Amino acid sequence: MRFRIGRPSSTSAYPAPEDPAPFQAVHTGEPETAEPPLSDYEIGLIRASLSVVEPQAGEITVYFYAILFARYPEVRSMFPHGMDPQRDRLLRALLRIVDLVDDPENLVRFCGSLGRDHRKFGALPAHFPAVGECLLATLARYAGSAWTPEIEAAWTKAYGTVAQVMISAAEEDEAVRPAVWPATVVHRISRGHGIAEITVRPHMDYEFAAGQYVSVETPWWPKHWRYYSAANAPRRDGTLTFHVRAVPGGSVSNALVHRAVVGDVIQLGAPMGDMVLDAADHRDLLFVAGGTGLAPIRALIEEVARRGGHNQVQLFLGARTGAELYGVDDMLRMAQRHHWLTIRAAVSDEYIPGIRGSLPDVLTEYGPWYEHDVFLSGPAQMVASARESLTLNGTPLDRIHHDPFETPVLSTP
C-alpha cells in the first residue's frame, strides 16, 4: 500500500468547503464514508503526534516497511525491488493526509484518487488493515511516551476514514474501467537535450482530458511508475504523445528515451489531474510553460482549437538558454494557424534578441492577469514562483491551475 502525495492540480477544482464538520461525508461525486467526523481535539492529537515523530522520518519509514513485509510477506510483490524512493515518500504522504484532516472535501477527493490509482498495484481491501496495523505500530514505537490511548484512537479513526474512501473509490472504478492499459509504441523521435517524443496506441479505449497526466510503466523496470502529461488533446486514432526528458538516475525516463523503440509495449495507469480546460471560468487564458512542461499546455491549446477557438490565449515559454527553448518552433506554427494564440518566449541566463528574464518576472512585466485563468506547467520552483508573482499582482488563487508540486509518491523517475 503506497500513498501518493501532491498539491491539487487546480485550486478552482478543490474549493474550500463552506463550513463542513471535519471528515464529514460531503457530496463531491466521491465515495462517502460512514466514519463519524473527527473532533477538533482528535485532529489536534494527530497533528501533535506527527510532529513528535517527524524528526525521525528516515528511521520511521525503514521500520514501517520492515514490519509490513515481515508480518505480511504477500504484499512485498506489490513494491519495486529498490525501496529507497518509496521510503522517502511515506512521510510526505502522511503529512499530506494530516494536512487535509480538517478539509473533508479535499480529503475525500485526494483519497478517492489515491484509491483508484492503487488499483494498478493490485491493492485489495484486505491489504488496508495490514497497512493500518503496521502504521500505528510504527508511530507508537517512535512517539514513545508521547503515544497515548487517546492518540491511538484518533489515528485509528482517521485511518479508517481514509481506507474506506480509498476502497470505495477503487471498487466503483473497477466496475467501469481496467486498472491498466497496455499500449504499443507507434512513433518515436529524439528532440535533443535528452528529450524524446514517444507516441503510443493503447490496446483498449483510453479516455482522458487535455491537460491530464498519466502514470507509465516500462517492461524493463516492473512496478516503477512515472507520471507524464499527454502532449495532445484526445485524437480520433486514440494515440497519446509524451514528451520525456531523461533524468540522471531515472529508471523509467532513461528507458523511454534511450531504450524504447517502435513495437515495444508499455503500461498506462488511469489519467489523473484537474488542470483541464473545463476548470477555466474566463474566456481569456494565460498559459505558462517551462521545459517539457510544454506538454500539457500544448494539449490544452489543441483542445481550445478543437472547441472552435473561442478563447484568447497568451502563451509564455521560458528556458535558461535559447537552445533549451523546447518546442518553440512547433508553437509558432500553431500561432500562425490560430489568430487567437499569442506566443512570447523568454530566456533567463543568456543574452539573445527577445525577452530576457525568468518567467515570473516576465509575467509581472506583461501583466496584470487578474482577468485571466492561468495554467502553469514546468519545474516545481518555476511554478511556485510564478504562482506567487501572479497572486501578488492580483490574480485570484482560484484562477491559477497547475499539476502537483511534488513528484507523486507512487512514482519513480
Side-chain angles (χ1 to χ4, degrees):
M1 174 71 173
R2 285 159 281 189
F3 294 100
R4 178 180 173 275
I5 183 84
R7 290 291 170 188
S9 300
S10 162
T11 51
S12 67
Y14 293 79
E18 293 182 1
D19 189 21
F23 273 99
Q24 186 175 2
V26 291
H27 297 284
T28 62
E30 299 285 357
E32 297 185 0
T33 172
E35 287 283 344
L38 286 173
S39 67
D40 290 342
Y41 178 67
E42 289 170 321
I43 291 171
L45 290 175
I46 290 172
R47 288 179 169 161
S49 60
L50 189 60
S51 68
V52 170
V53 302
E54 188 175 351
Q56 307 170 81
E59 297 176 33
I60 285 173
T61 54
V62 170
Y63 183 80
F64 167 76
Y65 284 110
I67 64 171
L68 178 65
F69 297 155
R71 296 180 184 182
Y72 302 95
E74 66 274 15
V75 307
R76 182 62 183 90
S77 62
M78 296 168 57
F79 294 80
H81 291 298
M83 285 296 297
D84 286 345
Q86 188 59 41
R87 293 190 184 102
D88 292 341
R89 291 163 182 156
L90 175 62
L91 185 64
R92 286 195 287 115
L94 291 176
L95 290 173
R96 178 62 177 149
I97 289 172
V98 171
D99 184 48
L100 293 174
V101 75
D102 56 357
D103 186 351
E105 186 169 355
N106 285 345
L107 182 73
V108 170
R109 282 185 182 275
F110 177 77
C111 294
S113 178
L114 205 63
R116 288 186 289 272
D117 196 47
H118 272 62
R119 290 185 56 220
K120 66 174 180 269
F121 296 100
L124 300 173
H127 295 141
F128 285 80
V131 171
E133 171 197 322
C134 296
L135 174 62
L136 265 65
T138 301
L139 293 172
R141 175 185 175 89
Y142 285 91
S145 60
W147 190 259
T148 66
E150 278 188 315
I151 290 174
E152 182 174 359
W155 272 100
T156 300
K157 181 191 284 190
Y159 181 80
T161 299
V162 168
Q164 186 54 55
V165 172
M166 291 180 64
I167 290 170
S168 297
E171 289 176 344
E172 291 180 5
D173 196 59
E174 185 179 9
V176 297
R177 61 182 182 179
V180 297
W181 287 256
T184 299
V185 176
V186 295
H187 186 69
R188 183 193 178 283
I189 184 169
S190 175
R191 292 298 186 185
H193 300 283
I195 298 172
E197 287 185 18
I198 297 176
T199 300
V200 303
R201 179 176 286 111
H203 298 182
M204 301 171 285
D205 288 344
Y206 189 87
E207 296 183 4
F208 71 101
Q212 288 192 303
Y213 55 93
V214 177
S215 54
V216 175
E217 180 196 46
T218 71
W220 307 285
W221 292 93
K223 305 191 187 305
H224 285 245
W225 293 82
R226 177 72 166 89
Y227 290 79
Y228 297 102
S229 295
N232 60 282
R235 297 166 175 157
R236 289 184 177 180
D237 66 0
T239 60
L240 296 86
T241 297
F242 300 108
H243 295 183
V244 183
R245 183 190 298 274
V247 178
S251 54
V252 178
S253 62
N254 278 280
L256 290 172
V257 172
H258 300 301
R259 191 167 182 174
V261 297
V262 171
D264 285 335
V265 177
I266 65 174
Q267 303 291 329
L268 308 180
M272 302 177 70
D274 297 284
M275 194 180 75
V276 296
L277 198 58
D278 287 340
D281 292 326
H282 285 97
R283 183 173 179 271
D284 292 336
L285 305 176
L286 171 64
F287 292 154
V288 183
T292 52
L294 178 61
I297 298 300
R298 190 188 190 288
L300 288 166
I301 292 173
E302 281 193 5
E303 184 65 17
V304 173
R306 205 169 70 131
R307 296 186 183 189
H310 300 303
N311 298 91
Q312 292 298 314
V313 178
Q314 301 271 347
L315 169 62
F316 284 79
L317 301 173
R320 291 175 300 175
T321 67
E324 294 176 344
L325 271 175
Y326 171 74
V328 65
D329 291 340
D330 183 32
M331 301 314 300
L332 287 172
R333 285 190 290 269
M334 290 186 72
Q336 290 175 350
R337 295 195 302 270
H338 304 303
H339 65 86
W340 40 263
L341 175 61
T342 301
I343 296 177
R344 296 181 178 91
V347 171
S348 60
D349 297 353
E350 183 181 29
Y351 288 94
I352 61 174
I355 304 172
R356 185 173 186 276
S358 67
L359 279 175
D361 291 340
V362 172
L363 292 175
T364 298
E365 178 183 350
Y366 281 83
W369 305 100
Y370 55 84
E371 293 184 345
H372 291 67
D373 268 88
V374 183
F375 292 79
L376 307 174
S377 182
Q381 184 177 359
M382 182 278 286
V383 172
S385 298
R387 189 177 76 162
E388 181 180 8
S389 175
L390 288 162
T391 55
L392 287 174
N393 287 279
T395 304
L397 196 58
D398 63 358
R399 295 288 180 264
I400 302 175
H401 316 275
H402 57 81
D403 279 337
F405 281 128
E406 301 285 355
T407 300
V409 162
L410 294 179
S411 73
T412 49

